[in-house]
Amino acid sequence: MSSSPQTPGPSGQTTEPSDKTPVLQKAVNALADLGTPLSPPQNGLIQVPTTYLESTSPTHTGDTVPVPEYFESLQTLLYIGFDEDTARTVWEYYQRVIQSFPGSTTLFDTAVARIEGGDVNARGDDEDYDEALKSMGIEAELRGDILDEEFKEFRLKESAKFWVLGVFNARMTVLKELDDMITTMAEESLAERRQQQSSSLPDCAPESSRSGQQQPSSSSDDPPQCAPQ
């Protein structure tokens, strides 16, 4: 996989993730074995077929969903639900912290702290949920999902911060489980394919051999393609 893209830091210098753990590792080989390799990452994102994500990822259209190439990246902050400006602010702050105090925090913990430490929140029908979500730096599509009128009564039972952190945790869980999920599905598909191919081969044991009669040996120059007995 390609290296993670460099991101301009606050001083104008480029910085890179301190932890370059790929989101997908085993799955890359599993999909290649299946004959459906992933396309090379572009701009720090991998296009994953929707087959492997179902309804567990951010809303999307098309046959693929972009997921971050690396856990520790600007793309992860965008994936969990920050708008671009806020994601970049959180990313640059995180970079400064780990450069000064290596290993002192994680990117996700920094994202959570950004929400928990904010002054603006909303709860109840008389408070402006949308303005609170904007102040937190939540991207428009996620704001729309949280504010969906169909779920208004349910939404008002908790605060805006509660729902944002719930989405962040759910999306991060998807990223952490995605490698195993895709690998398992790919391996199951490959095993099923091989089983189908095996069952479509002819049975090489003739009736007479099953009844105990000896059969002439076949030429070793042209071995039959048979299903395993």
Side-chain angles (χ1 to χ4, degrees):
M1 303 180 86
S2 66
S3 60
S4 181
Q6 294 183 331
T7 305
S11 64
Q13 298 177 341
T14 57
T15 58
E16 295 184 342
S18 61
D19 179 2
K20 290 190 174 184
T21 304
V23 171
L24 300 181
Q25 300 185 65
K26 297 178 296 182
V28 174
N29 293 330
L31 290 173
D33 291 343
L34 186 61
T36 56
L38 294 170
S39 299
Q42 293 186 347
N43 300 319
L45 295 170
I46 304 171
Q47 298 296 328
V48 175
T50 53
T51 307
Y52 300 110
L53 284 168
E54 300 175 344
S55 61
T56 57
S57 67
T59 53
H60 59 270
T61 58
D63 298 328
T64 62
V65 177
V67 300
E69 182 182 2
Y70 294 105
F71 283 107
E72 300 289 330
S73 66
L74 173 66
Q75 288 75 16
T76 292
L77 295 170
L78 295 169
Y79 178 87
I80 62 176
F82 280 123
D83 62 37
E84 188 168 350
D85 288 344
T86 306
R88 191 169 294 278
T89 297
V90 173
W91 173 245
E92 292 177 353
Y93 172 78
Y94 168 74
Q95 287 293 293
R96 292 196 300 271
V97 170
I98 61 171
Q99 285 171 7
S100 299
F101 308 99
S104 60
T105 188
T106 68
L107 181 62
F108 186 67
D109 285 346
T110 304
V112 169
R114 167 81 181 199
I115 300 301
E116 291 181 336
D119 296 331
V120 180
N121 198 5
R123 182 170 185 168
D125 202 16
D126 59 338
E127 298 183 27
D128 193 337
Y129 254 81
D130 191 38
E131 187 59 37
L133 295 172
K134 288 179 181 178
S135 297
M136 295 177 201
I138 304 305
E139 55 93 12
E141 194 167 19
L142 178 53
R143 294 202 314 271
D145 291 341
I146 293 174
L147 296 171
D148 192 325
E149 283 297 312
E150 182 178 353
F151 306 109
K152 179 178 179 179
E153 183 177 352
F154 186 65
R155 167 173 54 85
L156 292 177
K157 293 179 179 180
E158 295 290 349
S159 70
K161 286 185 178 182
F162 175 89
W163 296 119
V164 168
L165 292 174
V167 172
F168 279 15
N169 276 288
R171 291 182 176 179
M172 199 65 191
T173 298
V174 169
L175 286 188
K176 290 178 179 179
E177 296 179 351
L178 191 58
D179 193 43
D180 285 339
M181 186 192 325
I182 294 178
T183 299
T184 298
M185 294 177 69
E187 289 176 346
E188 289 176 349
S189 296
L190 184 58
E192 182 179 355
R193 178 189 298 175
R194 287 172 174 168
Q195 179 62 33
Q196 291 174 345
Q197 292 172 342
S198 176
S199 62
S200 67
L201 293 174
D203 187 344
C204 291
E207 287 298 324
S208 55
S209 69
R210 297 192 186 105
S211 62
Q213 298 178 16
Q214 185 174 2
Q215 298 296 312
S217 60
S218 60
S219 170
S220 61
D221 294 335
D222 187 21
Q225 298 298 314
C226 308
Q229 298 298 310

